[in-house]
Amino acid sequence: AQSVTQLDSHVSVSEGTPVLLRCNYSSSYSPSLFWYVQHPNKGLQLLLKYTSAATLVKGINGFEAEFKKSETSFHLTKPSAHMSDAAEYFCVVTQTGANNLFFGTGTRLTVIP
Amino acid sequence: DSGVTQTPKHLITATGQRVTLRCSPRSGDLSVYWYQQSLDQGLQFLIQYYNGEERAKGNILERFSAQQFPDLHSELNLSSLELGDSALYFCASSVSPASSGNTIYFGEGSWLTVV
């Protein structure tokens, strides 16, 4: 069975400081992992995805994530937070043979000026 | 803009009523998914279609049904509505099912408020 756990429901950072959003996954087989972002009153936008290629994945808007199989983690990072990064972030997993995505409960990122 | 179009964007209706939400997938995408997002349940997978056929079913209530038409657009029908059905309903699409790691693109959602 697949699942993801987002370890923080809310993260608050100051503008210009690093961002770390944590995600652990559980998957029986080789997973595909995604990070989506949802801005207020908007749909879900794909930030980046891992599908068994390079373990360090670069996404849009300066975000990246590292797949660590030994730690079953897929944490999202950004070196310097911007005010426009304030949003809800979802870690998502699927795997070969699965027909849908399994979402984490989300992490709300607040960026303080 | 993801290319996935959902209508209506907002809908207010009374308990006991029936509504239909419509989704047009990205051009070329054969797979359509429906998700429900509510404050207490988070993002819940409802159902998936691929090229007109149901492929997977999640936490979809019996009062809800969906279909995908030959032109690949999809409709989600919600009947005997209850207050607890108030939520944001997302449609998403991908070229093929999620199992191959294909990106799933989401629409902006349909806000349903049941009063």
mmCIF file with all atom_site columns, all heavy atoms in Angstrom, chain B residues 85-98:
data_model
loop_
_atom_site.group_PDB
_atom_site.id
_atom_site.type_symbol
_atom_site.label_atom_id
_atom_site.label_alt_id
_atom_site.label_comp_id
_atom_site.label_asym_id
_atom_site.label_entity_id
_atom_site.label_seq_id
_atom_site.pdbx_PDB_ins_code
_atom_site.Cartn_x
_atom_site.Cartn_y
_atom_site.Cartn_z
_atom_site.occupancy
_atom_site.B_iso_or_equiv
_atom_site.pdbx_formal_charge
_atom_site.auth_seq_id
_atom_site.auth_comp_id
_atom_site.auth_asym_id
_atom_site.auth_atom_id
_atom_site.pdbx_PDB_model_num
ATOM 1  N N   . ASP B 1 85 ? -21.325 17.609 1.886   1.00 0.00 ? 85 ASP B N   1
ATOM 2  C CA  . ASP B 1 85 ? -20.779 17.486 0.528   1.00 0.00 ? 85 ASP B CA  1
ATOM 3  C C   . ASP B 1 85 ? -20.132 18.788 0.063   1.00 0.00 ? 85 ASP B C   1
ATOM 4  O O   . ASP B 1 85 ? -19.505 18.824 -1.000  1.00 0.00 ? 85 ASP B O   1
ATOM 5  C CB  . ASP B 1 85 ? -21.884 17.085 -0.456  1.00 0.00 ? 85 ASP B CB  1
ATOM 6  C CG  . ASP B 1 85 ? -22.471 15.728 -0.137  1.00 0.00 ? 85 ASP B CG  1
ATOM 7  O OD1 . ASP B 1 85 ? -21.726 14.852 0.352   1.00 0.00 ? 85 ASP B OD1 1
ATOM 8  O OD2 . ASP B 1 85 ? -23.690 15.537 -0.375  1.00 0.00 ? 85 ASP B OD2 1
ATOM 9  N N   . SER B 1 86 ? -20.314 19.830 0.841   1.00 0.00 ? 86 SER B N   1
ATOM 10 C CA  . SER B 1 86 ? -19.677 21.111 0.501   1.00 0.00 ? 86 SER B CA  1
ATOM 11 C C   . SER B 1 86 ? -18.167 20.921 0.471   1.00 0.00 ? 86 SER B C   1
ATOM 12 O O   . SER B 1 86 ? -17.562 20.472 1.456   1.00 0.00 ? 86 SER B O   1
ATOM 13 C CB  . SER B 1 86 ? -20.048 22.175 1.541   1.00 0.00 ? 86 SER B CB  1
ATOM 14 O OG  . SER B 1 86 ? -21.426 22.428 1.521   1.00 0.00 ? 86 SER B OG  1
ATOM 15 N N   . ALA B 1 87 ? -17.570 21.230 -0.658  1.00 0.00 ? 87 ALA B N   1
ATOM 16 C CA  . ALA B 1 87 ? -16.145 20.975 -0.836  1.00 0.00 ? 87 ALA B CA  1
ATOM 17 C C   . ALA B 1 87 ? -15.701 21.568 -2.166  1.00 0.00 ? 87 ALA B C   1
ATOM 18 O O   . ALA B 1 87 ? -16.504 22.065 -2.948  1.00 0.00 ? 87 ALA B O   1
ATOM 19 C CB  . ALA B 1 87 ? -15.857 19.472 -0.818  1.00 0.00 ? 87 ALA B CB  1
ATOM 20 N N   . LEU B 1 88 ? -14.396 21.470 -2.371  1.00 0.00 ? 88 LEU B N   1
ATOM 21 C CA  . LEU B 1 88 ? -13.806 21.827 -3.659  1.00 0.00 ? 88 LEU B CA  1
ATOM 22 C C   . LEU B 1 88 ? -13.575 20.528 -4.419  1.00 0.00 ? 88 LEU B C   1
ATOM 23 O O   . LEU B 1 88 ? -12.927 19.616 -3.909  1.00 0.00 ? 88 LEU B O   1
ATOM 24 C CB  . LEU B 1 88 ? -12.489 22.567 -3.426  1.00 0.00 ? 88 LEU B CB  1
ATOM 25 C CG  . LEU B 1 88 ? -11.692 23.057 -4.631  1.00 0.00 ? 88 LEU B CG  1
ATOM 26 C CD1 . LEU B 1 88 ? -12.531 23.972 -5.517  1.00 0.00 ? 88 LEU B CD1 1
ATOM 27 C CD2 . LEU B 1 88 ? -10.432 23.791 -4.161  1.00 0.00 ? 88 LEU B CD2 1
ATOM 28 N N   . TYR B 1 89 ? -14.137 20.432 -5.588  1.00 0.00 ? 89 TYR B N   1
ATOM 29 C CA  . TYR B 1 89 ? -14.023 19.217 -6.392  1.00 0.00 ? 89 TYR B CA  1
ATOM 30 C C   . TYR B 1 89 ? -13.052 19.494 -7.546  1.00 0.00 ? 89 TYR B C   1
ATOM 31 O O   . TYR B 1 89 ? -13.274 20.380 -8.364  1.00 0.00 ? 89 TYR B O   1
ATOM 32 C CB  . TYR B 1 89 ? -15.391 18.784 -6.917  1.00 0.00 ? 89 TYR B CB  1
ATOM 33 C CG  . TYR B 1 89 ? -16.279 18.282 -5.808  1.00 0.00 ? 89 TYR B CG  1
ATOM 34 C CD1 . TYR B 1 89 ? -17.034 19.176 -5.052  1.00 0.00 ? 89 TYR B CD1 1
ATOM 35 C CD2 . TYR B 1 89 ? -16.336 16.936 -5.486  1.00 0.00 ? 89 TYR B CD2 1
ATOM 36 C CE1 . TYR B 1 89 ? -17.818 18.730 -3.998  1.00 0.00 ? 89 TYR B CE1 1
ATOM 37 C CE2 . TYR B 1 89 ? -17.126 16.481 -4.440  1.00 0.00 ? 89 TYR B CE2 1
ATOM 38 C CZ  . TYR B 1 89 ? -17.853 17.383 -3.702  1.00 0.00 ? 89 TYR B CZ  1
ATOM 39 O OH  . TYR B 1 89 ? -18.624 16.934 -2.659  1.00 0.00 ? 89 TYR B OH  1
ATOM 40 N N   . PHE B 1 90 ? -12.002 18.693 -7.571  1.00 0.00 ? 90 PHE B N   1
ATOM 41 C CA  . PHE B 1 90 ? -10.989 18.843 -8.608  1.00 0.00 ? 90 PHE B CA  1
ATOM 42 C C   . PHE B 1 90 ? -11.136 17.761 -9.664  1.00 0.00 ? 90 PHE B C   1
ATOM 43 O O   . PHE B 1 90 ? -11.376 16.594 -9.353  1.00 0.00 ? 90 PHE B O   1
ATOM 44 C CB  . PHE B 1 90 ? -9.577  18.702 -8.021  1.00 0.00 ? 90 PHE B CB  1
ATOM 45 C CG  . PHE B 1 90 ? -9.085  19.905 -7.292  1.00 0.00 ? 90 PHE B CG  1
ATOM 46 C CD1 . PHE B 1 90 ? -8.885  19.863 -5.929  1.00 0.00 ? 90 PHE B CD1 1
ATOM 47 C CD2 . PHE B 1 90 ? -8.794  21.069 -7.979  1.00 0.00 ? 90 PHE B CD2 1
ATOM 48 C CE1 . PHE B 1 90 ? -8.416  20.974 -5.250  1.00 0.00 ? 90 PHE B CE1 1
ATOM 49 C CE2 . PHE B 1 90 ? -8.323  22.186 -7.309  1.00 0.00 ? 90 PHE B CE2 1
ATOM 50 C CZ  . PHE B 1 90 ? -8.137  22.133 -5.941  1.00 0.00 ? 90 PHE B CZ  1
ATOM 51 N N   . CYS B 1 91 ? -10.927 18.174 -10.876 1.00 0.00 ? 91 CYS B N   1
ATOM 52 C CA  . CYS B 1 91 ? -10.730 17.246 -11.966 1.00 0.00 ? 91 CYS B CA  1
ATOM 53 C C   . CYS B 1 91 ? -9.261  17.317 -12.364 1.00 0.00 ? 91 CYS B C   1
ATOM 54 O O   . CYS B 1 91 ? -8.633  18.374 -12.273 1.00 0.00 ? 91 CYS B O   1
ATOM 55 C CB  . CYS B 1 91 ? -11.618 17.619 -13.146 1.00 0.00 ? 91 CYS B CB  1
ATOM 56 S SG  . CYS B 1 91 ? -11.323 16.640 -14.628 1.00 0.00 ? 91 CYS B SG  1
ATOM 57 N N   . ALA B 1 92 ? -8.725  16.199 -12.775 1.00 0.00 ? 92 ALA B N   1
ATOM 58 C CA  . ALA B 1 92 ? -7.333  16.152 -13.229 1.00 0.00 ? 92 ALA B CA  1
ATOM 59 C C   . ALA B 1 92 ? -7.252  15.232 -14.435 1.00 0.00 ? 92 ALA B C   1
ATOM 60 O O   . ALA B 1 92 ? -8.129  14.393 -14.640 1.00 0.00 ? 92 ALA B O   1
ATOM 61 C CB  . ALA B 1 92 ? -6.419  15.651 -12.115 1.00 0.00 ? 92 ALA B CB  1
ATOM 62 N N   . SER B 1 93 ? -6.190  15.400 -15.212 1.00 0.00 ? 93 SER B N   1
ATOM 63 C CA  . SER B 1 93 ? -6.045  14.518 -16.369 1.00 0.00 ? 93 SER B CA  1
ATOM 64 C C   . SER B 1 93 ? -4.576  14.184 -16.608 1.00 0.00 ? 93 SER B C   1
ATOM 65 O O   . SER B 1 93 ? -3.677  14.897 -16.158 1.00 0.00 ? 93 SER B O   1
ATOM 66 C CB  . SER B 1 93 ? -6.654  15.157 -17.623 1.00 0.00 ? 93 SER B CB  1
ATOM 67 O OG  . SER B 1 93 ? -5.850  16.225 -18.123 1.00 0.00 ? 93 SER B OG  1
ATOM 68 N N   . SER B 1 94 ? -4.374  13.083 -17.297 1.00 0.00 ? 94 SER B N   1
ATOM 69 C CA  . SER B 1 94 ? -3.026  12.672 -17.685 1.00 0.00 ? 94 SER B CA  1
ATOM 70 C C   . SER B 1 94 ? -3.131  11.883 -18.984 1.00 0.00 ? 94 SER B C   1
ATOM 71 O O   . SER B 1 94 ? -4.208  11.398 -19.346 1.00 0.00 ? 94 SER B O   1
ATOM 72 C CB  . SER B 1 94 ? -2.356  11.827 -16.596 1.00 0.00 ? 94 SER B CB  1
ATOM 73 O OG  . SER B 1 94 ? -3.063  10.636 -16.377 1.00 0.00 ? 94 SER B OG  1
ATOM 74 N N   . VAL B 1 95 ? -1.998  11.739 -19.627 1.00 0.00 ? 95 VAL B N   1
ATOM 75 C CA  . VAL B 1 95 ? -1.982  11.026 -20.912 1.00 0.00 ? 95 VAL B CA  1
ATOM 76 C C   . VAL B 1 95 ? -2.428  9.583  -20.717 1.00 0.00 ? 95 VAL B C   1
ATOM 77 O O   . VAL B 1 95 ? -3.238  9.045  -21.464 1.00 0.00 ? 95 VAL B O   1
ATOM 78 C CB  . VAL B 1 95 ? -0.575  11.075 -21.530 1.00 0.00 ? 95 VAL B CB  1
ATOM 79 C CG1 . VAL B 1 95 ? -0.493  10.150 -22.740 1.00 0.00 ? 95 VAL B CG1 1
ATOM 80 C CG2 . VAL B 1 95 ? -0.207  12.487 -21.911 1.00 0.00 ? 95 VAL B CG2 1
ATOM 81 N N   . SER B 1 96 ? -1.872  8.973  -19.683 1.00 0.00 ? 96 SER B N   1
ATOM 82 C CA  . SER B 1 96 ? -2.221  7.588  -19.379 1.00 0.00 ? 96 SER B CA  1
ATOM 83 C C   . SER B 1 96 ? -2.314  7.488  -17.862 1.00 0.00 ? 96 SER B C   1
ATOM 84 O O   . SER B 1 96 ? -2.027  8.467  -17.169 1.00 0.00 ? 96 SER B O   1
ATOM 85 C CB  . SER B 1 96 ? -1.173  6.631  -19.955 1.00 0.00 ? 96 SER B CB  1
ATOM 86 O OG  . SER B 1 96 ? 0.100   6.962  -19.488 1.00 0.00 ? 96 SER B OG  1
ATOM 87 N N   . PRO B 1 97 ? -2.709  6.356  -17.340 1.00 0.00 ? 97 PRO B N   1
ATOM 88 C CA  . PRO B 1 97 ? -2.878  6.272  -15.888 1.00 0.00 ? 97 PRO B CA  1
ATOM 89 C C   . PRO B 1 97 ? -1.625  6.623  -15.106 1.00 0.00 ? 97 PRO B C   1
ATOM 90 O O   . PRO B 1 97 ? -0.512  6.488  -15.599 1.00 0.00 ? 97 PRO B O   1
ATOM 91 C CB  . PRO B 1 97 ? -3.277  4.807  -15.688 1.00 0.00 ? 97 PRO B CB  1
ATOM 92 C CG  . PRO B 1 97 ? -3.959  4.451  -16.947 1.00 0.00 ? 97 PRO B CG  1
ATOM 93 C CD  . PRO B 1 97 ? -3.221  5.186  -18.030 1.00 0.00 ? 97 PRO B CD  1
ATOM 94 N N   . ALA B 1 98 ? -1.829  7.019  -13.878 1.00 0.00 ? 98 ALA B N   1
ATOM 95 C CA  . ALA B 1 98 ? -0.753  7.520  -13.026 1.00 0.00 ? 98 ALA B CA  1
ATOM 96 C C   . ALA B 1 98 ? 0.341   6.499  -12.798 1.00 0.00 ? 98 ALA B C   1
ATOM 97 O O   . ALA B 1 98 ? 1.460   6.856  -12.465 1.00 0.00 ? 98 ALA B O   1
ATOM 98 C CB  . ALA B 1 98 ? -1.322  7.953  -11.677 1.00 0.00 ? 98 ALA B CB  1
#
